[in-house]
Amino acid sequence: YSMHWNPAKFAFIDGGAGIGISYSPWLRNLVPDINIAYLTGYKRIDTRQVISTSLLYSSLGDIPFTDEFGNLERTFNPNEFSFDAAYSRLFSEKFSGSIAFRFIYSNLTGGSYSGGVATRPGISFAADISGFYQKKIDLFSKDGQLGLGFNFSNIGTKMSYSQSQTSD
């Protein structure tokens, strides 16, 4: 699952290809229908290069939308997803770098009106720049591995949920 945290780590991975799938029923004790699903995969191009992708989907469950008097207008299931693609490269025996691009779709309101303004799904594009350093070390007569990384994440456009000038 390095795609989410630091895609530069893929350059150090063993094997030619792999996938990972996870599903989390989130906050089940509070709300029964919130969940997060994640699918990721990588493919080694050669000994120094790896490409990877991921799809993250989250559902916030059924949310009742009410008017200013508390009357139920409708129920909506807000959801969001992002699709990522990354290229990772080993620059030396101990250091790698990566660049990732992300498409984000966020539909929190389903076209409801807020403050008299029609809402819409938010769409954004972003990029990550990451690096990772690893080195075998001896610590207190035990073999270990030191790993240091950085990830400048979500560099990109702001998201707007309406035609107004306010972006998030």
Side-chain angles (χ1 to χ4, degrees):
Y1 299 101
S2 293
M3 187 70 178
H4 181 75
W5 302 107
N6 188 332
K9 291 176 71 177
F10 276 116
F12 291 103
I13 200 163
D14 292 330
I19 61 170
I21 300 170
S22 71
Y23 173 80
S24 297
W26 196 39
L27 300 173
R28 255 326 165 221
N29 290 335
L30 297 175
V31 181
D33 55 356
I34 297 176
N35 60 70
I36 298 172
Y38 189 67
L39 172 66
T40 186
Y42 75 93
K43 172 72 175 128
R44 180 166 292 288
I45 299 170
D46 59 29
T47 58
R48 300 181 75 77
Q49 303 175 94
V50 177
I51 55 172
S52 54
T53 63
S54 71
L55 177 64
L56 173 67
Y57 175 81
S58 108
S59 171
L60 296 176
D62 289 332
I63 305 288
F65 282 71
T66 60
D67 62 17
E68 61 270 13
F69 303 107
N71 299 315
L72 180 65
E73 291 183 337
R74 69 185 178 105
T75 301
F76 180 67
N77 186 334
N79 60 75
E80 300 179 301
F81 76 86
S82 68
F83 176 77
D84 299 16
Y87 169 77
S88 306
R89 180 172 179 83
L90 197 59
F91 293 118
S92 74
E93 180 179 295
K94 299 176 184 173
F95 182 72
S96 65
S98 179
I99 186 163
F101 298 99
R102 178 172 302 108
F103 170 76
I104 305 165
Y105 175 87
S106 175
N107 190 357
L108 299 179
T109 62
S112 296
Y113 281 80
S114 176
V117 177
T119 63
R120 64 175 186 213
I123 294 176
S124 183
F125 297 92
D128 296 354
I129 299 170
S130 61
F132 190 74
Y133 173 85
Q134 71 178 25
K135 178 182 178 183
K136 293 186 187 292
I137 61 170
D138 180 45
L139 188 61
F140 305 112
S141 300
K142 300 282 184 184
D143 290 335
Q145 184 162 305
L146 173 67
L148 301 170
F150 67 87
N151 186 5
F152 297 103
S153 186
N154 291 326
I155 305 163
T157 60
K158 291 187 176 189
M159 192 168 297
S160 178
Y161 294 95
S162 72
Q163 294 291 339
S164 73
Q165 297 300 325
T166 305
S167 294
D168 299 315

